[in-house]
Amino acid sequence: EEPFDIDQTTAAGSLQPSLLETGRSDEKFDCQSPEEETLTGWEVGALLMRHPTVLLGNKPECDTVEKLLQQGNEAEKSAIMRWMCKDLLSAAEDQCACRVVQELLKAPSKSDGSMMLAKIFPYTDRLLESQHGNHVLTKAVEVAIPAEIATVIDKVWRTGAVYVAKHRFGCRLCERLIEHHGEDHAVVALLNSLALSSVEMCKHRYGNYVLQSMVEHGPAGPTKKVFEALVPKMGEMAVHRFASHLAQKMLQVDCPPADKLKAAEALIRDSSHPLAEIAANRFGNFVINDMLSFLTTEEDIDKDKRVALVEEIREKLNVENEELTKTEHFKSVKATLDDCWNTLQNDEDQEG
């Protein structure tokens, strides 16, 4: 979406000058070197004389401030941060200014960072609904320390954990909490609650991403609950547009091999979704290929057990239904199956 331009006005209604047209401030701003005045220092000084609403909807001005943040010294960055805090919420929700806020969040000092987070987190419920503000919120969660996210967790509970996880922007917030604060007790409690809704969320357009993140990055307790809820649904998930990605993740990630083995067995033996039909499905064929990769390479699972399962797969795919066997998806699975079988047989020959 193209950025829109709006007139930036003073209280008297006159046009605000461009940041680069304001000239030098009468008050010298501290520069990187006491002997040499830099252009950056003068630009920051000019910036601080105005109100941060000058950035709203103004891409050129926002680009300039981003450059100041990237090139300026710590004192200049801190001054810009405090200036932005005059109206941080408006900036966070703006298409252009939200990028400036994210840039500020990348490497603030401890005191500056805490000041910004204190102005962002109380509006968690509002920002997760915002097309632009949600990016600021997730960036803030990334840089926060565990003690600072209590307000976020409280807002998620009050808004509704499952609602947030299934929200097109809220799902990103849940993913960042899992990735950066997954061991925090409050986050674990939140994830345990979400795991109880795994069946509801696995087929959801956005909720499935939260479950994928839990399976890949989440703590052991909630992750195990997700597996327990979804392993019986592997066949159904494998042929679903959204849930199939989660089924793949359950067979790929570095989680206990015994859990992945249960998922593989459930997929192979699902009576309501025959394996041959899953193999011919445009989503299911990827799930079976990942399962075969797991059975080929997972050395922590007994070799005889893996060979027996691959033999079972071969039997179930030995069908005469040309409507299935002639599809490119089925052929792809058969090729992977042949490679898997040959690899396992060659390993046995070498061991013999």
Side-chain angles (χ1 to χ4, degrees):
E1 183 179 355
E2 290 296 324
F4 57 90
D5 294 319
I6 60 174
D7 290 338
Q8 305 296 336
T9 62
T10 62
S14 60
L15 288 175
Q16 286 276 18
S18 167
L19 180 62
L20 295 179
E21 295 173 353
T22 53
R24 295 191 171 189
S25 164
D26 291 335
E27 179 182 356
K28 177 182 174 182
F29 192 84
D30 289 339
C31 300
Q32 297 179 10
S33 167
E35 294 81 24
E36 180 180 0
E37 298 175 359
T38 65
L39 179 60
T40 298
W42 291 118
E43 288 180 323
V44 172
L47 176 68
L48 301 182
M49 297 178 64
R50 304 157 74 190
H51 194 274
T53 51
V54 70
L55 300 180
L56 302 185
N58 197 328
K59 186 176 184 301
E61 300 283 32
C62 289
D63 289 343
T64 300
V65 176
E66 282 191 75
K67 290 179 181 178
L68 292 177
L69 290 170
Q70 293 163 3
Q71 300 171 5
N73 58 36
E74 292 305 314
E76 292 165 349
K77 293 177 183 179
S78 180
I80 293 175
M81 186 282 300
R82 293 172 185 276
W83 174 75
M84 289 288 292
C85 280
K86 293 179 181 178
D87 197 354
L88 194 62
L89 189 61
S90 295
E93 294 180 311
D94 182 71
Q95 179 180 3
C96 301
C98 70
R99 295 194 298 271
V100 177
V101 181
Q102 291 176 74
E103 186 68 33
L104 279 168
L105 285 167
K106 286 183 178 179
S109 67
K110 184 175 180 180
S111 60
D112 289 347
S114 296
M115 180 186 297
M116 291 188 70
L117 298 182
K119 290 183 174 292
I120 292 172
F121 287 158
Y123 297 95
T124 292
D125 48 349
R126 174 172 166 176
L127 291 172
L128 70 82
E129 299 278 357
S130 168
Q131 180 180 358
H132 309 297
N134 81 91
H135 296 291
V136 171
L137 178 61
T138 53
K139 175 61 71 174
V141 167
E142 289 179 20
V143 303
I145 61 175
E148 294 172 322
I149 64 168
T151 301
V152 178
I153 301 299
D154 180 64
K155 290 287 187 179
V156 172
W157 280 119
R158 290 175 180 273
T159 304
V162 174
Y163 171 81
V164 173
K166 293 168 64 175
H167 190 278
R168 63 173 179 157
F169 303 140
C171 66
R172 298 174 183 170
L173 172 61
C174 293
E175 289 179 80
R176 298 297 92 76
L177 286 170
I178 294 167
E179 294 165 6
H180 297 274
H181 303 281
E183 300 302 323
D184 182 84
H185 293 305
V187 175
V188 172
L190 180 67
L191 299 183
N192 279 327
S193 176
L194 289 175
L196 298 177
S197 300
S198 294
V199 174
E200 173 187 350
M201 291 168 56
C202 73
K203 292 183 178 181
H204 191 269
R205 183 184 192 94
Y206 304 114
N208 84 91
Y209 289 119
V210 177
L211 295 179
Q212 286 188 55
S213 185
M214 287 176 65
V215 167
E216 186 170 11
H217 304 290
T223 299
K224 190 168 186 64
K225 287 182 172 64
V226 172
F227 267 85
E228 290 172 350
L230 296 183
V231 161
K233 304 284 186 180
M234 282 297 289
E236 182 181 345
M237 290 168 58
V239 296
H240 190 272
R241 178 180 180 183
F242 303 127
S244 60
H245 297 292
L246 176 57
Q248 286 183 258
K249 189 72 72 174
M250 292 170 66
L251 293 164
Q252 294 171 344
V253 296
D254 185 21
C255 60
D259 290 342
K260 290 193 284 188
L261 181 62
K262 290 178 182 177
E265 290 173 334
L267 180 62
I268 295 169
R269 296 162 185 166
D270 191 321
S271 58
S272 60
H273 295 82
L275 199 64
E277 293 182 8
I278 296 175
N281 182 270
R282 63 174 179 154
F283 307 118
N285 74 97
F286 293 108
V287 180
I288 295 180
N289 281 335
D290 283 332
M291 175 177 64
L292 290 170
S293 176
F294 159 67
L295 293 174
T296 304
T297 60
E298 185 52 74
E299 296 181 355
D300 289 334
I301 300 295
D302 182 73
K303 175 72 172 297
D304 292 338
K305 179 68 173 177
R306 290 187 283 132
V307 170
L309 286 174
V310 173
E311 285 182 334
E312 190 173 345
I313 294 171
R314 295 180 76 198
E315 292 175 4
K316 290 182 178 291
L317 296 187
N318 185 23
V319 296
E320 297 181 358
N321 186 341
E322 292 188 355
E323 186 177 344
L324 299 178
T325 59
K326 285 189 174 182
T327 66
E328 292 302 317
H329 306 310
F330 191 95
K331 292 177 182 177
S332 169
V333 170
K334 285 287 286 183
T336 305
L337 177 60
D338 291 340
D339 290 341
C340 173
W341 180 252
N342 291 334
T343 299
L344 291 173
Q345 293 302 305
N346 289 337
D347 288 345
E348 285 188 348
D349 292 341
Q350 293 176 5
E351 291 172 2

